[in-house]
Amino acid sequence: VSDAGTTHHLAPGPQALADAELLVTQAFAPLDGFLGAADAESVRARRRLADGRPWPVPLTLDVPAEFAAGVRPGDEVLVEDPEGTPIAAVRVEEVWADSGTHHLAGPAEPRRRAAFGVFRRLHLTPAQSRRLFDGERPVLAVLADAPLHRDRLAAIRLAATTRNAQVLLLVPSADDRGLPPESLVRLAFTARDELGEAAVVAVRLARRADPVDDLLLTAHVAGAYGARALLTAAADPGGAAVELVPFEPVGYDAAGDTWRPVATAAGLRPPLGDDAVRDLLDAGEPLPEWFTPPAVAAELRHVRPPLAERGLTVFFTGLSGSGKSTLARALRDSLVERADRTVTFLDGDVVRRMLSAGLGFSREDRDRNVLRIGYVAAEACRHGGIAICAPIAPYAATRAEVRRMVTAAGGGFVLVHAAASLEVCEGRDRKGLYAKARAGLISEFTGISDPYEEPTDAELSIDTGTVPVQEALRQVLAYLSKAGWLSGTE
């Protein structure tokens, strides 16, 4: 809470930030703010506000309990982006809670629109979007949240021609939907070129966990941006603000290098599913031109290069004295000798001195240390490098968060458990740490006075108490080679 007394500063998560932006641009009209308890309960029960107006999804501003405790009706909350730019000001009318989650309700007024960001020029308001079209022909919206291969492009052409409609490609930019938002925009440009005529607009639309909620809110936003129909692969749940048009099944007739859509029985699936596409990209194999335009294939190769060229984090975890650092150093040396990948080595002790100086050994500080390691590893992966990490990392939730950070950056994550027993680790106690912990001289020591949560999700577990270092290294290299992360043989 700021010293101003009634003005509070909130940097919410991505969904609330996206919701605030769409509120102040009137994409969520007739709503003018975040819902209170009565409206939220009514929407959950019957998809209508308490006054009877239709609305598809409870739109709430969730805040931490300690933040809510300092806010009173009549206060102003500035909703800020990660750079501190105030996007909206919420005049609080109600502070409420349900199921342990605290919410603020009240109208949202615009402050400053973000000036920077990838393809920011495409983030139009609904009013700006509607001005892109002639006002005579209907607008068909397509949620471009995935690559539009030839079957989808054919379905768009068919739906647009049947309705004599203009096409609006809406690119969701609030979260990662399997591909980063900037890649989805480039793929939408490719689809526009293939279609011959279409408008590309980016919208801060966050995905909802419930697929029906997500579809209905998408339909409402599409209507605000000028569409009278939304082309979707999902089933029509009813009650949408605009007509939902399913993607028509399209078959393939490939003679030589030519491709054309043909009429088929309903429900026919395309010959390449998502898993098959991922397998081809991971192996560095080309996507067939009859399946997708070359420009789409090129963008997918850019964002998802072959495994042997993609960023990778090898994350070693284990008790102090388990040999994880020794094994991690051996892996670093082996990969550096190969000279085909850049390697970043993040050992626990070194990181403590250089990156996490000043942190203690409370659970909060240990988590902060591991997350800092994860951040650096994710950045190394973002640029195609290999990061080798060797902290104790005793807590499963923190290791899972590092995995999420790395995969969100486009990298792979391999967790290796150095599974030496506590007895073996104490026997190797060259620093005398276990003895001091047993004597009560060190508090919160992992394995003695603080827990170590053994991984249940490790890609590789090696008993480093009995397996020699070189054999353990051979096992790690064999796994990485078989999984495709290393070119050639081990």
Side-chain angles (χ1 to χ4, degrees), residues 43-241:
V43 169
R44 290 192 187 99
R46 57 195 185 108
R47 298 198 186 279
R48 289 183 177 274
L49 300 170
D51 63 9
R53 288 178 298 168
W55 181 257
V57 178
L59 198 74
T60 60
L61 179 57
D62 304 347
V63 297
E66 58 272 17
F67 187 93
V71 180
R72 297 290 181 270
D75 287 358
E76 179 184 69
V77 173
L78 292 179
V79 179
E80 299 174 341
D81 69 13
E83 296 179 351
T85 301
I87 301 300
V90 177
R91 180 62 60 184
V92 178
E93 295 181 343
E94 181 182 354
V95 181
W96 62 286
D98 64 344
S99 303
T101 302
H102 293 75
H103 318 279
L104 305 179
E109 298 178 353
R111 284 298 183 259
R112 285 184 290 170
R113 296 201 71 194
F116 303 102
V118 178
F119 292 115
R120 189 67 207 181
R121 64 189 180 277
L122 298 178
H123 286 76
L124 306 183
T125 66
Q128 291 170 330
S129 174
R130 291 193 295 268
R131 287 197 291 269
L132 297 176
F133 304 103
D134 59 26
E136 298 179 1
R137 293 178 296 157
V139 176
L140 171 69
V142 178
L143 186 68
D145 62 346
L148 295 172
H149 300 299
R150 294 199 187 276
D151 61 326
R152 294 296 176 90
L153 292 169
I156 295 169
R157 291 190 193 96
L158 177 61
T161 301
T162 301
R163 290 164 173 77
N164 188 29
Q166 303 162 93
V167 175
L168 169 62
L169 299 174
L170 283 176
V171 183
S173 63
D175 46 28
D176 193 314
R177 304 199 177 204
L179 292 170
E182 62 270 19
S183 181
L184 292 178
V185 170
R186 291 193 292 266
L187 288 166
F189 286 157
T190 296
R192 179 191 63 187
D193 295 341
E194 290 286 328
L195 294 170
E197 181 185 7
V200 177
V201 173
V203 58
R204 297 276 295 173
L205 180 63
R207 188 197 297 268
R208 261 51 191 183
D210 181 270
V212 175
D213 284 354
D214 189 62
L215 176 58
L216 291 176
L217 192 62
T218 300
H220 182 92
V221 170
Y225 274 77
R228 295 275 65 83
L230 173 67
L231 198 60
T232 173
D236 181 355

Side-chain angles (χ1 to χ4, degrees), residues 7 28 36 101 239 280 376 378 383 389 402-403 423 440 447 465 490:
T7 298
F28 286 157
T101 302
L280 288 172
V376 176
H383 300 287
C389 311
V402 173
R403 185 188 289 269
E423 292 74 20
E490 59 177 283

